[in-house]
Amino acid sequence: MISEKLINYFLTPELRNKLHPEYDQVRTIVSGTIVATTLLLILPVPMFFFPPTLIGYYILAGLGICTLYSLKWYGIYWPPLILGLLATYVVIINDTLETGAIDSPAVTTLYLLLLTGFWFNRRIGLVMIGLNILAIIYIFYSVPEADGQNLYAVVSHIVLTIFFGAFFWFVQEQHDAARLQIREQQHIRIDLLDRAVKDRTQQLSTMRQNLASDFHDETGNMLSAITRQAAILKLKLKDQPAVLSIVDNIIMNSDQLYASSRDFLWSVNNNSDDPQELFAYLTSFGQVFYNQFDIAFSVKSTVNSLIESAHLQAFASRHIIFIFKEAMTNVAKHSGAREVLLEMAVFQEYVSISLQDDGSWKEPLEGQPHNGLHNMEKRSKENNFRFKVYGSSQGTRLQIDAPVHFTLVE
């Protein structure tokens, strides 16, 4: 049994996909070439002291190795495979002529070669039936003193070649039909699974939207009521400064809780998985936040064909929001920046969002680590984000690369 790792080693990344239309055929070619190359290196050893010379078999082994690496490096296997096939005929015919011509046991090697051809591809097998017959006829006429007994051997070999060719064709046809049926069943199951996943995703989306709506109605109204009641209480207790600070804290905490719950509710909503919606949310927050300071805020989004079908992992947007709100706050508090740029780009496997400023990076004092930076790194690690920070006296760039998956756009 050949190791799957060894077979995959000689396959290009595209051909390692079992749903690739050429996967079965190429896998057969790789496994067969590995076995044939190994045998060509080992089996001639016991015959080293007998004619003919065995250099041809090692040449064939070298061609097998070239076929494997041609497939691995360039994804091409037919040219070296055909060259190896033709070279095999040359070696077998030469071996046969030097060991007894048509009566040589080496003639039977042609049947093994025919089996190998049908194993690789039925069309190659059909061509090799004709090549085998031509090789047998050539071997017969290469010996001038051939007699009737030799002619009988030629006819027998030709008949056996046609018989085995038809038999191999039938077996391979049945194998291909069974493999095709299995492939069709796989596609049917995949379609059913895709449909089930789509239905379940739609159900979860509806559930998330209902949850967000219900939570907003209940919690939002309650927090608004607390804020209004605290404001009325503040008016009634305006002559009691010691109590007013407590009331102010109630109002501040209520506002902060409302803002936090709004972020949470937005992340629960199904649209929050869309990178464009997330970027629009961060843009809106940045515009409102930096309007309080003398800081210019701008955004840049790279639009490509991937962005329409890209989706973040569930609830990843919530953590990205917390990370960038912390980063935006740090810029305003510590960097002394005059300009801030928020960027987003969508790639094949991830979405990249970055915040860059022209302020100065401040190293934390000894014994006082960046708690905000530590929290960002922790959130990134827990959610499989790639987290990068580049700090210098000319500015700071914070970047998050978050995994995405893609859905078909109908």
Side-chain angles (χ1 to χ4, degrees):
M1 185 68 179
I2 303 176
S3 170
E4 286 292 330
K5 290 184 179 180
L6 181 59
I7 294 176
N8 288 334
Y9 176 78
F10 293 107
L11 297 179
T12 60
E14 295 80 9
L15 289 173
R16 290 174 190 167
N17 181 7
K18 293 185 178 181
L19 296 180
H20 192 283
E22 295 185 16
Y23 172 80
D24 292 324
Q25 176 176 301
V26 176
R27 187 185 185 282
T28 300
I29 290 175
V30 170
S31 59
T33 304
I34 291 173
V35 172
T37 301
T38 303
L39 294 177
L40 285 169
L41 291 171
I42 297 175
L43 293 183
V45 174
M47 298 184 292
F48 182 78
F49 297 102
F50 298 93
T53 58
L54 304 175
I55 186 64
Y57 292 95
Y58 291 109
I59 292 175
L60 296 180
L63 289 173
I65 295 173
C66 291
T67 301
L68 292 173
Y69 279 98
S70 175
L71 177 60
K72 175 178 174 59
W73 291 335
Y74 308 108
I76 299 173
Y77 57 91
W78 282 118
L81 193 64
I82 292 175
L83 179 61
L85 173 65
L86 296 177
T88 302
Y89 275 107
V90 173
V91 171
I92 292 176
I93 290 174
N94 180 70
D95 190 3
T96 303
L97 291 175
E98 292 188 17
T99 57
I102 199 66
D103 296 323
S104 170
V107 178
T108 58
T109 313
L110 291 171
Y111 301 123
L112 178 61
L113 185 61
L114 181 63
L115 172 61
T116 305
F118 274 102
W119 188 23
F120 283 166
N121 186 283
R122 278 190 296 166
R123 287 176 294 182
I124 292 180
L126 282 178
V127 172
M128 288 177 64
I129 292 176
L131 291 177
N132 272 25
I133 293 174
L134 291 176
I136 292 169
I137 294 174
Y138 176 81
I139 293 170
F140 173 72
Y141 282 107
S142 295
V143 181
E145 61 272 13
D147 53 23
Q149 186 176 359
N150 297 127
L151 182 61
Y152 174 77
V154 170
V155 174
S156 298
H157 283 305
I158 291 176
V159 171
L160 286 174
T161 296
I162 296 174
F163 171 80
F164 282 119
F167 178 75
F168 294 153
W169 168 273
F170 174 77
V171 172
Q172 192 65 23
E173 184 180 37
Q174 295 299 311
H175 180 266
D176 289 344
R179 188 164 53 188
L180 180 61
Q181 186 176 9
I182 292 173
R183 183 61 60 87
E184 290 176 350
Q185 291 296 324
Q186 288 176 337
H187 284 300
I188 292 174
R189 290 185 180 182
I190 290 172
D191 291 340
L192 291 175
L193 286 173
D194 286 342
R195 196 174 306 167
V197 169
K198 186 176 181 180
D199 293 341
R200 181 55 58 89
T201 302
Q202 185 62 40
Q203 293 174 3
L204 291 175
S205 299
T206 303
M207 185 183 301
R208 288 171 63 180
Q209 291 174 347
N210 292 337
L211 175 63
S213 177
D214 294 344
F215 190 83
H216 177 269
D217 292 342
E218 293 292 334
T219 306
N221 292 335
M222 188 177 296
L223 290 174
S224 297
I226 292 173
T227 302
R228 289 195 302 270
Q229 291 170 2
I232 295 172
L233 184 61
K234 182 177 180 179
L235 290 174
K236 291 184 177 181
L237 299 175
K238 61 183 178 180
D239 297 330
Q240 300 182 38
V243 180
L244 285 179
S245 61
I246 298 175
V247 177
D248 287 336
N249 284 333
I250 293 174
I251 295 175
M252 181 183 66
N253 291 334
S254 178
D255 290 340
Q256 289 179 350
L257 180 58
Y258 180 75
S260 298
S261 64
R262 185 176 57 185
D263 293 340
F264 171 74
L265 292 174
W266 185 87
S267 67
V268 170
N269 189 284
N270 182 53
N271 292 334
S272 63
D273 296 342
D274 185 347
Q276 295 183 94
E277 292 288 338
L278 172 62
F279 190 69
Y281 187 89
L282 291 174
T283 298
S284 177
F285 175 83
Q287 290 171 341
V288 173
F289 179 75
Y290 286 117
N291 277 341
Q292 306 173 70
F293 310 96
D294 189 18
I295 299 177
F297 178 71
S298 57
V299 298
K300 179 182 178 181
S301 175
T302 302
V303 178
N304 55 33
S305 59
L306 298 174
I307 199 169
E308 294 294 334
S309 58
H311 292 279
L312 293 159
Q313 296 176 350
F315 303 110
S317 59
R318 176 170 173 262
H319 298 280
I320 295 176
I321 288 173
F322 286 150
I323 290 173
F324 278 95
K325 279 191 172 183
E326 178 72 21
M328 290 180 182
T329 303
N330 288 343
V331 170
K333 287 184 177 180
H334 307 298
S335 71
R338 311 304 299 173
E339 294 183 2
V340 176
L341 172 65
L342 179 69
E343 291 184 272
M344 182 186 74
V346 178
F347 299 96
Q348 189 66 44
E349 297 180 351
Y350 63 92
V351 57
S352 179
I353 305 177
S354 63
L355 186 75
Q356 184 168 343
D357 65 71
D358 61 352
S360 59
W361 170 264
K362 292 185 178 180
E363 294 291 342
L365 298 176
E366 187 176 352
Q368 297 181 1
H370 272 312
N371 290 327
L373 194 60
H374 174 73
N375 291 334
M376 295 178 196
E377 292 175 340
K378 183 179 178 182
R379 286 185 183 275
S380 299
K381 185 176 181 181
E382 292 174 348
N383 291 275
N384 198 28
F385 302 156
R386 287 199 295 265
F387 178 78
K388 306 173 186 176
V389 176
Y390 311 94
S392 69
S393 58
Q394 284 76 39
T396 301
R397 178 182 176 86
L398 182 145
Q399 180 176 324
I400 293 290
D401 296 338
V404 292
H405 61 274
F406 295 90
T407 57
L408 295 176
V409 179
E410 297 181 356

